[in-house]
Amino acid sequence: MSSPEARQTPREPLSIRVLSTFGAIRPDERRDTLAAFVTLFGFMAGHALLETARDALFLARLPASLLPWVYLTIAAAALLLTRNPPRVLRRLSNRHELSAWLVFSGGITLAFWVAVHLTAGWVFYALYAWSGVLATLVVVRFWTVLSDRFTVTQAKRLFAVIGSGSVLGAIVGSGLARVLTEVVDARHVVLAAGIVFLGSSISPTLFGPAPGGRRAETSGGLADIDFARVGRLIWDRPYLRRVAIVVLLSTITFTLVDFVFKSTVARYVPDEALGEFFSSVYFTLNLVSLVVQLGAVGWLIRQLGVNAALAIVPALLLGTAVGFVAAAGITTVLLLKGADGSTRYSLYRTGTELLFVPMSVEIRGRVKAVIDVLGQRGGQALGSLLILLTLSLTSGEVAFAVAAAIAAAAWLYLVLDLKRHYLDVFRETLSEEITETRIAFPALDIASLETLLSTLNSPDDRKVVAALDILAEQRKLRVVPALILYHPSSPVVIHALDLFARSGREDFLPIVDRLLSHTDSGVRAASLRVRTIVQADEGQLRHASHDSDAAVRVTALVGLAASGWVSIAEVHERLASSVRTGDAETRVALARAIRYLPTPGLDPILLALATGPDEAVQLEAVRAMREVKSPQFVQPLVQLLEQRTLRDEVRATLVAFGTSALTRLASALADPTLAHGVRRHLPNTLAAFGTPQAAAHLLRQLPRELDGMVRFKILRGLGRLRSENPGMPLDAKLLREAVDQNMSAAFRVMRWRRALELGAEALSSRQTVSHDMLVALLKDKQSHTLERLFRLFNLLANDEDFLRIYRGLHSLKREARAGSRELVENLVQPPLRRSLLTLIDDLFETASVQTEDDEVAQYEAVLEELLVSGTESLSSLAAYHIGELRLAALRRVLDGLPALSDHHANVVQQALMALEDPTMLEAGSAGG
C-alpha cells in the first residue's frame, strides 16, 4: 500500500540491525542497548578466559577441598572492595566508573599473569579469588546502571537481548580458551583475559545521557551506605526481604553445585587434561546458554511472567541434584552443571535483574548493591561454611548434592511466593502516583462543639447555616439554643426552623408562636409549618388561612388538610389557583408545606409544581414527592433526570420509592426511543439503589446497549455498586461477553486508525485537516473503549483496582506507566492478556507496535466502513474527507447513506456536490 519512496528510511548500522532481530528495540533505546551489549560481551569474554585458566591451574596444583576457603576469601574481598572502592572510582559517573573498573580488572589480571610463573600455591589461590571478586564488582555495577536507564516494560524487552551479550561473550571467551589451551600453557590464557578486559573498557563510554534529562550520579559503591538503615529497610519491606533471601539461597545453591562439579571432575579427570576439559565444558554450556537466552528467556518472561520464569532455574537444579544423588558419576554431574551453566547467566541473571527494576530509583540505589553483594557473597560464604562442615563428616559428593537439592527447593518455594509481593511494588507506585482523598467528618469533641456553637454568632449567614447542618448531621441539634430563632437573618431562621421541626424538641415552641407575627412572610410560613408538625393548632391554622400573604395561606391550608380539619376537596381549588397564579415564593412554600405535612390527594398539585418553569419550585416539589411516594410520580421524575440542578434530589426520591421505581427505570433504560439526555443518567440512578436487582438490570442491558455513552454510564454504575457493596454478586458470563464485545470494538477502531495513518504516509495528499480529525477522533474512541475494558476487568476482579491501573497508564512518569503495564501482564489471563497489551502498547508505546502491511485495510475501504458505522461524528468526517479527496468510487455509498441528523445529511450532500465541484465543499465549509 505504500510506495518505496514513502517508506524509505536511513540505513542503520549493522550492529543495530543484528540486535533488532532479537527484540523490539525502539530508536531511542538503540544506543544504550548496543553499549550494554558490547560491554557485557567484552567483560564476559575476558571472564570466561580467566575462569578456564583459574580452574585448570588451581585444580592441577591444589586439592578441591580448598575451594570452600577460596569461596570465603572471595566473599570477604568482594565486600571489602565494594565497601571501600578506590577513591578515584568514587568521583566517576556510572558509565565512566564501569570503564575504570574494566581497566582496573585488566591491570590486576595482567599482574597475575606475571606472578603465575612463580608457581607458589598462594598465587593460584589468589587468582581464583580474584576472578570471583572481579565478577561481583563489575557485574553488579553494570546491572545497576541498566536498571536506572530502563523501565520494567523496556527491561522485559531489552534485558534478554542485552543478556545475550553475556552468553555470547562467554562462548567466544571459552572457545578462545579451548584453542589456546591446546597450543600454550594455561597461564597464558590469563594474559589473554587481561588484554580483553582492557579492550572492553572503551564500550561503556557509548552509553547516552541519563534518561529524562536526569544527571548521572557518581557512585562510590557501598562506601556511603548506612548498612544498619538499609538492612532495616530490606527487612521491613516483604518484597525486598524476599528478594534478598532469593539471591542468598540461589548463591548457596550455585556454590554447592560448583563444588560438587569440580570435586567430581578432580576425581575423574587427569590433571594434564583439566584445561581442555574445562574449556570444552564451558564452551558447550555457553552455547546452550546462548540458545536459551535468545530462544527462550524473552518468550518465557513474556508468557509466564518474571516469577514463574525465574522458578524454572531452581526447579532444574533440584531435579538434576536429585538425579546425581540417585546415581553419582561424571554423566550426572555434567547434567547438574549443565542446569547451572545453561541458565545462570541467561534466565537467572535476566530474571533476577528484573526483580530490581520495579523499585523506585531511590530505593534501588540504596538496596540493590547491598542485596547483590551481601546476597551473592554472603550466600557464597554460607555455602562455603556448609561445605567445610560437611567435609568434616564426609568427603563424598552425594552429601553436597543433597544440600544443594534442599537449598534449591527452598529457593523454588520462595520464588513462587514472590509474585504477589512483586505486584504489590507496582500497586504501591500507583498509589503514590494517584492519590484519592476521602474526608470523613469525625465525631465532635468538646473543643469542636464549642467552635461550632460560637460560629452561630457569625455575621456570615453561610457559616451559620453550615454550622447548623454539621450539628444536625452529628445529632447535636439539642445543644443549639432556641434563641437562634431570633437571628436577624430570615434565611437562617427558616433553616433553623426546618431543622428543629423533626428534632424531637418542643422548647422552642414559645418562640415559634411569636414568629407567627414576624414581618417576613417566609418566616411566618415556616413557623406555621413547624408549629403544625410539632403541635398542630386548628385555630392558628384557620386564622393563618386568611393571612395577607399567599405563602402563609397555602401553608395553613395544607396544615388543615393534613390534620383532617378540612377535606382535600375544600382546599384543592384554592391551592391549584396558587399554582397557576402565585409567585415563586408562594409555590415554594406550598411544595415545602406538602413535603413536611404529606397529605394524600394533593398529587396533582405536586405534579404541576414539578413540571413548572422555576427550578427552585421544582426542587421543593421533588423533595415533597419523596415524602408522599405516589406511584404516578415515577414517570415525571424520570424525565426530570435531564435537569442537572435537580438530578441528585430526583435520584434520592426515586430510590425512596423502592421496587416500583426500580422496575420503571429498568424499562426506561431498555427503551432506545427515550431522549438521550434522560437515558444517559439512568444507569447511575439505578446504581443508586445499591441492590442486586439494580445490578442485574444494568448487566442485562450492557451487552445489547448500542449507545456508547450509555454503555460507559452502565459500567460506571456497576463500578459504583461494586465499590459500595464489594460482596455483591455480578453475572460473570455477561461481563465476559461485554469484554469480548468491547475488545472487538477496540480492535476495529484501532484497525481503522492505523489504516488511515499508513495511508497518509503512503500518499501525502491524504494528509488533510479532516484526516487528522478522523485519526484523533478514532484514537479518542479507542482510548474510551480501553477504559471500558478496564472497568469491566474491575468488575470481574473483586480484589484488584483496574481503574487505578488504567489511570497509571496516563501518568507523566514512565515508571508508573510501565508499572501499570506490568500489572496487566501479570493479572490478566490469556487469551485476553495479549489483546489488551496490544491495545495498551498501540496507545501508549506506539513505537513498539508493529503492523504488517498485509494486515492493514485499504484506505478507501476504511472510509466506506466509517460512512456506514452508524456514528454521526465518524460518518460526517468520513463523508467530508471523501468529498475533499474526490473519491468518486464512494459516490454510490454516499447516495444510499441514511441521514443520522440534519447536519449529517447536509455534510453528505456537500460531499456529493464536491465530487463534481471541489469549490462547493470549500464554500460549504466556510459557510458552516
Side-chain angles (χ1 to χ4, degrees):
M1 336 184 1
S2 59
S3 63
E5 294 77 17
R7 291 298 182 87
Q8 188 172 5
T9 56
R11 190 170 181 81
E12 296 171 332
L14 177 62
S15 56
I16 290 294
R17 284 182 280 133
V18 170
L19 279 180
S20 296
T21 62
F22 299 119
I25 304 174
R26 294 166 52 180
D28 59 318
E29 299 164 343
R30 291 171 181 170
R31 178 175 175 177
D32 284 349
T33 303
L34 178 61
F37 179 89
V38 174
T39 300
L40 199 56
F41 172 86
F43 173 75
M44 291 306 298
H47 189 265
L49 285 163
L50 185 59
E51 187 179 39
T52 302
R54 66 105 199 260
D55 286 349
L57 292 169
F58 185 94
L59 291 177
R61 291 165 175 82
L62 298 172
S65 59
L66 286 178
L67 284 174
W69 295 104
V70 180
Y71 298 152
L72 285 172
T73 304
I74 291 172
L79 179 58
L80 179 64
L81 267 177
T82 312
R83 186 77 174 88
N84 298 285
R87 290 184 179 181
V88 66
L89 298 182
R90 301 185 189 183
R91 295 192 292 269
L92 298 174
S93 64
N94 283 334
R95 54 180 176 168
H96 293 132
E97 184 194 4
L98 275 177
S99 293
W101 271 115
L102 288 168
V103 171
F104 180 67
S105 303
I108 299 297
T109 303
L110 290 177
F112 271 107
W113 169 66
V114 173
V116 161
H117 78 281
L118 300 175
T119 65
W122 70 266
V123 173
F124 305 109
Y125 188 101
L127 176 63
Y128 199 114
W130 165 244
S131 67
V133 171
L134 170 65
T136 299
L137 297 177
V138 178
V139 172
V140 167
R141 294 307 306 150
F142 173 82
W143 288 105
T144 299
V145 171
L146 259 61
S147 296
D148 290 342
R149 287 179 172 270
F150 298 124
T151 66
V152 67
T153 302
Q154 293 174 304
K156 291 178 74 172
R157 285 189 289 107
L158 303 177
F159 277 16
V161 178
I162 294 170
S164 64
S166 169
V167 184
L168 193 60
I171 290 174
V172 172
S174 56
L176 182 58
R178 179 71 179 83
V179 173
L180 290 174
T181 52
E182 290 187 358
V183 296
V184 297
D185 187 73
R187 76 183 185 91
H188 295 300
V189 180
V190 178
L191 170 64
I195 294 172
V196 172
F197 286 144
L198 291 175
S200 62
S201 65
I202 301 173
S203 51
T205 61
L206 299 175
F207 280 106
R214 188 170 64 246
R215 183 180 177 182
E217 297 180 357
T218 59
S219 173
L222 301 181
D224 301 318
I225 292 179
D226 184 335
F227 271 73
R229 291 184 62 186
V230 175
R232 285 194 299 271
L233 174 65
I234 293 172
W235 186 257
D236 290 342
R237 299 200 174 205
Y239 179 70
L240 296 180
R241 185 168 66 245
R242 282 166 171 78
V243 170
I245 298 174
V246 163
V247 174
L248 190 73
L249 284 172
S250 62
T251 306
I252 291 173
T253 308
F254 288 137
T255 301
L256 291 167
V257 167
D258 189 64
F259 180 79
V260 171
F261 170 66
K262 289 173 182 173
S263 179
T264 305
V265 168
R267 184 189 301 273
Y268 287 100
V269 179
D271 292 347
E272 63 275 11
L274 285 174
E276 293 182 12
F277 178 84
F278 281 124
S279 60
S280 298
V281 170
Y282 292 157
F283 180 75
T284 303
L285 290 180
N286 287 329
L287 279 176
V288 176
S289 184
L290 180 64
V291 173
V292 172
Q293 182 72 25
L294 297 180
V297 172
W299 183 84
L300 286 172
I301 290 173
R302 288 192 301 272
Q303 296 299 315
L304 304 179
V306 175
N307 306 94
L310 191 55
I312 293 174
V313 182
L316 283 174
L317 290 172
L318 175 60
T320 51
V322 170
F324 183 85
V325 171
I330 193 69
T331 301
T332 50
V333 85
L334 284 173
L335 290 175
L336 178 60
K337 184 61 179 177
D340 173 351
S342 62
T343 60
R344 188 194 301 196
Y345 298 109
S346 54
L347 182 57
Y348 170 75
R349 171 56 70 181
T350 302
T352 304
E353 293 303 328
L354 283 171
L355 295 179
F356 290 99
V357 177
M359 304 174 191
S360 67
V361 174
E362 178 187 1
I363 291 179
R364 184 169 59 237
R366 294 167 63 188
V367 306
K368 186 180 188 305
V370 173
I371 291 177
D372 273 340
V373 175
L374 295 184
Q376 290 180 20
R377 295 317 165 193
Q380 193 172 45
L382 289 174
S384 302
L385 292 174
L386 181 60
I387 292 171
L388 290 172
L389 179 63
T390 308
L391 281 173
S392 66
L393 302 174
T394 179
S395 60
E397 288 83 10
V398 171
F400 301 103
V402 170
I406 294 172
W411 172 15
L412 176 62
Y413 170 79
L414 204 61
V415 169
L416 293 175
D417 181 60
L418 190 62
K419 179 174 181 178
R420 57 192 178 95
H421 301 285
Y422 174 76
L423 298 181
D424 283 343
V425 177
F426 296 105
R427 295 186 182 104
E428 181 181 343
T429 301
L430 292 183
S431 295
E432 295 171 357
E433 173 73 10
I434 305 162
T435 304
E436 296 180 358
T437 304
R438 296 178 175 88
I439 301 175
F441 203 94
L444 295 175
D445 55 24
I446 296 298
S448 301
L449 193 58
E450 290 177 351
T451 301
L452 282 174
L453 289 175
S454 66
T455 305
L456 298 178
N457 297 319
S458 171
D460 188 337
D461 291 355
R462 293 173 301 176
K463 291 183 179 179
V464 178
V465 169
L468 287 170
D469 285 338
I470 292 173
L471 288 165
E473 181 182 340
Q474 296 286 314
R475 301 181 184 276
K476 299 291 185 183
L477 278 177
R478 287 186 175 275
V479 304
V480 178
L483 294 176
I484 189 68
L485 299 179
Y486 286 126
H487 196 280
S489 170
S490 294
V492 170
V493 174
I494 294 171
H495 193 71
L497 283 168
D498 286 339
L499 292 176
F500 284 172
R502 297 183 178 181
S503 66
R505 295 175 57 173
E506 295 186 4
D507 60 318
F508 63 94
L509 287 181
I511 300 177
V512 170
D513 289 337
R514 292 187 181 188
L515 293 176
L516 290 172
S517 59
H518 198 280
T519 56
D520 186 288
S521 60
V523 173
R524 294 203 307 277
S527 300
L528 185 62
R529 186 170 61 244
V530 172
R531 189 69 170 78
T532 306
I533 292 171
V534 178
Q535 196 177 88
D537 185 310
E538 184 179 1
Q540 282 180 339
L541 289 170
R542 290 192 181 277
H543 176 74
S545 66
H546 299 286
D547 192 274
S548 59
D549 189 88
V552 178
R553 292 198 301 270
V554 297
T555 301
L557 291 173
V558 173
L560 287 168
S563 302
W565 291 318
V566 298
S567 65
I568 296 297
E570 291 180 70
V571 299
H572 189 275
E573 182 52 38
R574 291 178 64 183
L575 295 176
S577 175
S578 297
V579 174
R580 292 191 302 270
T581 62
D583 57 16
E585 184 180 356
T586 301
R587 295 199 299 274
V588 167
L590 175 55
R592 195 167 291 171
I594 299 174
R595 173 189 173 190
Y596 284 101
L597 300 165
T599 308
L602 294 180
D603 298 357
I605 300 294
L606 273 181
L607 286 171
L609 291 170
T611 55
D614 194 294
E615 287 189 347
V617 177
Q618 289 180 298
L619 191 61
E620 283 300 330
V622 169
R623 290 169 175 165
M625 288 176 171
R626 192 182 309 160
E627 305 300 327
V628 177
K629 292 187 179 68
S630 173
Q632 61 181 310
F633 294 155
V634 175
Q635 181 58 34
L637 283 168
V638 170
Q639 296 298 324
L640 289 175
L641 284 169
E642 195 167 6
Q643 293 181 236
R644 183 180 59 83
T645 55
L646 303 179
R647 194 170 300 134
D648 289 342
E649 290 292 343
V650 170
R651 280 181 179 149
T653 301
L654 286 167
V655 170
F657 274 63
T659 305
S660 60
L662 181 66
T663 304
R664 180 66 192 90
L665 286 166
S667 299
L669 181 61
D671 182 5
T673 64
L674 193 64
H676 181 268
V678 175
R679 285 193 77 235
R680 64 179 180 163
H681 299 297
L682 293 174
N684 277 333
T685 306
L686 279 162
F689 284 79
T691 63
Q693 292 79 11
H697 287 308
L698 290 170
L699 275 172
R700 276 196 295 270
Q701 183 62 24
L702 183 60
R704 56 193 182 207
E705 179 56 57
L706 300 179
D707 190 303
M709 171 64 78
V710 177
R711 281 200 307 272
F712 178 73
K713 294 283 189 177
I714 290 174
L715 288 174
R716 287 191 62 179
L718 287 168
R720 173 182 172 181
L721 279 167
R722 171 53 59 79
S723 65
E724 293 176 354
N725 306 276
M728 180 179 292
L730 298 176
D731 191 326
K733 181 180 178 182
L734 288 175
L735 288 173
R736 284 191 288 268
E737 288 178 6
V739 167
D740 293 339
Q741 184 183 62
N742 278 272
M743 193 73 77
S744 297
F747 271 90
R748 182 170 61 252
V749 172
M750 183 177 71
R751 181 177 64 84
W752 287 340
R753 198 197 83 244
R754 284 180 173 177
L756 294 181
E757 289 172 338
L758 291 175
E761 289 179 14
L763 194 61
S764 60
S765 60
R766 294 168 173 166
Q767 190 81 42
T768 66
V769 174
S770 60
H771 163 88
D772 293 343
M773 291 175 66
L774 262 176
V775 169
L777 180 59
L778 288 169
K779 189 166 187 175
D780 189 57
K781 287 185 174 295
Q782 183 180 339
S783 179
H784 287 166
T785 308
L786 185 63
E787 181 179 357
R788 290 198 292 270
L789 282 168
F790 272 89
R791 289 183 178 275
L792 285 164
F793 284 119
N794 211 42
L795 295 172
L796 283 165
N798 290 325
D799 55 350
E800 193 64 55
D801 189 351
F802 275 90
L803 283 181
R804 182 176 60 180
I805 297 173
Y806 176 76
R807 289 192 292 268
L809 291 171
H810 291 80
S811 172
L812 296 177
K813 297 180 180 179
R814 64 179 193 146
E815 292 83 3
R817 296 195 300 272
S820 288
R821 190 189 186 281
E822 183 70 7
L823 284 170
V824 169
E825 190 164 344
N826 281 273
L827 295 173
V828 179
Q829 298 302 312
L832 293 174
R833 177 197 298 158
R834 181 176 180 183
S835 299
L836 189 60
L837 289 175
T838 298
L839 292 172
I840 291 171
D841 290 342
D842 180 68
L843 283 173
F844 302 105
E845 297 284 342
T846 52
S848 67
V849 177
Q850 302 295 324
T851 303
E852 297 296 332
D853 286 354
D854 58 3
E855 294 179 353
V856 179
Q858 294 295 320
Y859 197 87
E860 290 78 7
V862 167
L863 289 177
E864 181 176 351
E865 289 183 51
L866 293 174
L867 275 178
V868 299
S869 65
T871 303
E872 182 180 351
S873 56
L874 289 175
S875 184
S876 297
L877 275 173
Y880 187 91
H881 193 46
I882 289 167
E884 191 177 41
L885 298 180
R886 302 188 70 183
L887 300 177
L890 295 174
R891 180 194 300 276
R892 174 186 53 80
V893 183
L894 286 170
D895 279 332
L897 196 64
L900 301 175
S901 69
D902 292 341
H903 173 74
H904 178 254
N906 184 45
V907 173
V908 172
Q909 188 59 36
Q910 287 183 32
L912 285 168
M913 296 170 64
L915 293 179
E916 300 295 336
D917 182 3
T919 60
M920 296 300 298
L921 189 65
E922 296 171 7
S925 175

